[in-house]
């Protein structure tokens, strides 16, 4: 390791020392500032910016580290910087091979530097350095990958299953993976994996990393959809990639709005990948990514495949949420509750690097809409046309911070009206199950012709509702019924909040049961021994 540090570029050394500062790592002479106090009697730690220090000082500091874990981190970073030369090689436009052209398109996409930065490299990461670099541009070998991830108790994601297929759509690797952390949520509705599926599974992330390393060492192109998510979960750094979310774009020319895998399958391949709400299948997803690349090559890399704008269809339950994103790790959930107005439940998402995101879940879409409108901040639109606000504030320590708060769907011409209509629709649906509610809702129709029209339309399909609505509306007393409707809406809001609370409790109970099952299994093994 000392030899590698001796010959490393000064820019690389500066970055390593900055990482050491960020992680508060200490060598034999302490941290960076302690080292400077003993190493430089003249300036000491007064000049602590690594970029302003000599190469010799940086090398001397890094050589004070001897712990295996620290040296492994240094080695990982040094190997990753060696891949930067390959990055420049792969961006070379002189190669006319279609596969390599798609690699270029991926590396030159505006989102690549952000998505594939992987700043959180640690000792568990694997950086793949390629062999036979002079032959890389001529290689057309490709494999496609897809992973499914579970949520761990520490808030991170871990790979639980993956599949790799070759150019001929043959499955060459398909594994269930046992995470090395406690699992908080199996996300079975998405991953299709439940606790019982992992019983007896011994395959680890390290096993998968080693298999992929041997598969890619010769420069094989790695294909995937939003591939950076898979690589981050796999803790794998690799340069020669094709991201299918980058190489297709919508007909409006918005390069930053990336199509979903399902949308690409419908538009390019002519079939629907999965039905709404169905679990993901990593075999199908990996094959779909490979088919998309092959279709792009067949139709010509430079020939655009027009994608029609997908209508944004967001369930009403999602419309009652606001996404809080690009939140610095220094911002606590308590501070988020103070920043966003209204009554809501906060659901944190796994961090990515030093940023994380969260969902603010309100009782109904109207309250989410009002909370967004009340926020003080610069309003803009994201790449999908969804409204969001950039909100700045001060932390307790007096440090400035900011977050982005985004709606779940673009605003229409009558967005707030649609939110109210959604609440009324919910009331009408519940009315059929509850005669008391049915009567109260039906009475309101005489006061409001627009609502009466909606009930009448439904009545044509259901004669029983027509009889009830007609009989009760004849007894209308406007002032009384307005109060009853208001009370009814309040009851429904309280019920919705109670249901959401019960869901959270069930999720927690599932987690506790999973942990208890593991403890019982462990005790049984000890008893058998």
């Amino acid at each position: 390791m000392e030899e590698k540090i001796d010959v490393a570029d000064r820019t690389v050394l500066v970055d390593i020392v900055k990482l050491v500062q960020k992680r508060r790592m200490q060598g034999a002479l302490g941290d960076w500032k302690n080292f400077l106090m003993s190493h430089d009697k003249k300036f000491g730690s007064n000049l602590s910016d690594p970029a302003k220090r000599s190469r010799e000082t940086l090398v001397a500091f890094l050589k004070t580290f001897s712990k295996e874990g620290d040296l492994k981190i240094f080695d990982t970073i040094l190997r990753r910087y060696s891949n930067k030369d390959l990055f420049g090689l792969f961006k070379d436009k002189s190669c006319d091979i279609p596969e390599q052209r798609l690699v270029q398109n991926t590396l030159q996409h505006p989102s690549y530097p952000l998505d594939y930065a992987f700043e959180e490299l640690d000792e568990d990461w694997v950086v793949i350095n390629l062999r036979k670099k002079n032959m890389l541009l001529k290689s057309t070998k490709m494999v496609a990958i897809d992973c499914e991830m579970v949520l761990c108790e520490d808030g991170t994601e871990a790979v639980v299953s993956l599949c790799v297929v070759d150019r001929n759509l043959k499955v060459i690797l398909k594994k269930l993976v046992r995470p090395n952390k406690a699992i908080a949520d199996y996300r079975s509705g998405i991953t299709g994996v439940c606790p019982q599926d992992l019983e007896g599974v011994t395959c680890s992330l390290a096993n998968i990393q080693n298999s992929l390393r041997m598969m890619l060492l010769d420069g094989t192109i790695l294909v995937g959809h939003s591939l950076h998510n898979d690589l981050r979960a796999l803790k794998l750094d690799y340069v020669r990639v094709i991201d299918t979310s980058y190489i297709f774009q919508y007909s409006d020319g918005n390069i930053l709005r990336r199509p979903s895998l399902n949308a690409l399958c419908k538009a390019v391949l002519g079939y629907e990948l999965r039905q709404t709400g169905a679990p993901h299948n990593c075999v199908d997803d990996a094959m779909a990514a490979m088919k998309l690349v092959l279709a792009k090559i067949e139709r010509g890399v430079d020939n655009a495949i027009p994608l029609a704008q997908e209508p944004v269809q967001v369930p009403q339950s999602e419309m009652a949420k606001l996404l809080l994103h690009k939140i610095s790790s220094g911002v606590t959930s308590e501070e988020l509750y103070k920043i966003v107005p209204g009554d809501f439940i906060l659901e944190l998402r796994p961090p990515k690097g030093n940023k994380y995101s969260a969902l603010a879940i309100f009782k109904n879409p109207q309250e989410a809409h009002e909370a967004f409108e009340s926020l003080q901040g610069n309003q803009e639109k994201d790449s999908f046309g969804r409204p969001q606000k950039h909100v700045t504030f001060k932390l307790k320590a007096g440090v400035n911070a900011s977050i982005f708060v985004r709606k779940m769907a673009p605003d229409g011409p009558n967005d707030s009206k649609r939110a109210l209509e959604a609440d009324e629709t919910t009331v009408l649906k519940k009315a059929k199950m509850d005669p008391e509610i049915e009567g109260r809702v039906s009475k309101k129709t005489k006061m409001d012709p627009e609502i009466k029209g909606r009930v009448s339309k439904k009545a044509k399909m259901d004669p029983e509702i027509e009889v009830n609505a007609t009989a009760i509306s004849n007894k209308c007393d406007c002032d009384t019924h307005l109060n009853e409707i208001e009370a009814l809406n309040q009851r429904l809001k309280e019920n919705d909040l109670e249901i959401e609370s019960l869901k959270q409790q069930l999720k927690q109970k599932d987690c506790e049961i999973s942990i208890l099952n593991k403890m019982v299994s462990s005790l049984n093994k000890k008893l058998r021994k």
Side-chain angles (χ1 to χ4, degrees), residues 142-145 163-173 282-283 286-287 290:
M142 296 189 295
V143 294
I145 190 170
C163 177
V164 181
V165 301
D166 64 13
R167 190 172 187 139
N168 298 317
L169 306 181
K170 178 184 176 183
V171 176
I172 55 177
L173 181 65
C282 55
V283 176
M287 286 185 176
M290 181 60 78

Side-chain angles (χ1 to χ4, degrees), residues 134-276:
N134 58 329
M135 299 294 291
L136 290 179
L137 295 180
K138 298 179 182 179
S139 172
T140 60
K141 186 178 177 182
M142 296 189 295
V143 294
I145 190 170
D146 183 74
C147 302
E148 299 301 335
M149 280 78 83
V150 294
L151 178 64
C152 297
E153 289 184 357
D154 64 356
T156 61
E157 290 184 324
V159 175
V160 72
S161 69
L162 87 158
C163 177
V164 181
V165 301
D166 64 13
R167 190 172 187 139
N168 298 317
L169 306 181
K170 178 184 176 183
V171 176
I172 55 177
L173 181 65
K174 184 176 183 293
K175 289 284 187 180
L176 284 172
V177 185
R178 178 173 291 279
N180 59 359
K181 300 176 182 178
I183 299 172
D185 186 357
Y186 282 83
R187 297 170 172 168
S188 300
I190 298 173
T191 64
V193 176
C194 62
Q196 293 76 13
D197 295 327
L198 294 185
E199 291 179 1
V201 173
T202 58
C203 181
S204 67
L205 178 64
N207 297 143
I208 296 299
Q209 288 173 328
N210 187 56
S211 297
L212 292 173
R213 180 177 173 275
M214 298 306 296
M215 198 180 294
L216 300 173
L217 269 177
D218 60 353
T220 295
I221 298 170
L222 187 61
V223 174
H225 188 82
S226 293
L227 183 59
H228 55 92
N229 292 324
D230 300 297
L231 293 178
R232 182 176 281 106
L234 288 164
K235 294 191 173 185
L236 199 70
D237 192 78
Y238 190 64
V239 181
R240 200 170 189 221
V241 297
I242 297 175
D243 192 327
T244 52
S245 73
Y246 285 1
I247 61 175
F248 297 90
Q249 69 182 68
Y250 287 102
S251 53
D252 63 356
N254 186 349
I255 194 170
L256 294 178
R257 183 185 174 188
R258 286 172 257 170
S260 67
L261 185 59
N262 199 36
L264 286 176
C265 285
K266 286 192 285 186
V268 180
L269 304 178
Y271 72 92
E272 193 166 9
L273 183 61
R274 70 178 65 87
Q275 296 296 319
T276 304

Side-chain angles (χ1 to χ4, degrees), residues 47-115:
L47 194 64
S48 60
D49 184 355
K52 295 180 180 178
R53 285 292 188 165
S54 67
R55 188 179 185 283
E56 290 72 21
T57 300
L58 299 171
V59 170
F61 172 61
L62 294 176
K63 285 185 176 181
T64 66
F65 289 83
S66 58
K67 292 180 182 177
E68 185 178 350
D70 296 338
L71 296 179
K72 194 171 181 181
I73 293 175
F74 296 167
D75 184 57
T76 299
I77 296 171
L78 288 168
R79 284 187 286 115
R80 189 176 187 218
Y81 270 93
S82 71
N83 267 349
K84 285 195 170 183
D85 295 334
L86 290 173
F87 182 84
L89 177 67
F90 291 145
K91 287 182 72 174
D92 183 4
K93 294 183 179 181
S94 62
C95 181
D96 262 349
I97 297 173
E99 292 81 356
Q100 182 56 33
R101 293 278 301 283
L102 292 176
V103 172
Q104 293 165 10
N105 291 349
T106 297
L107 300 184
Q108 291 166 355
H109 192 278
S111 297
Y112 181 88
L114 179 64
D115 291 340

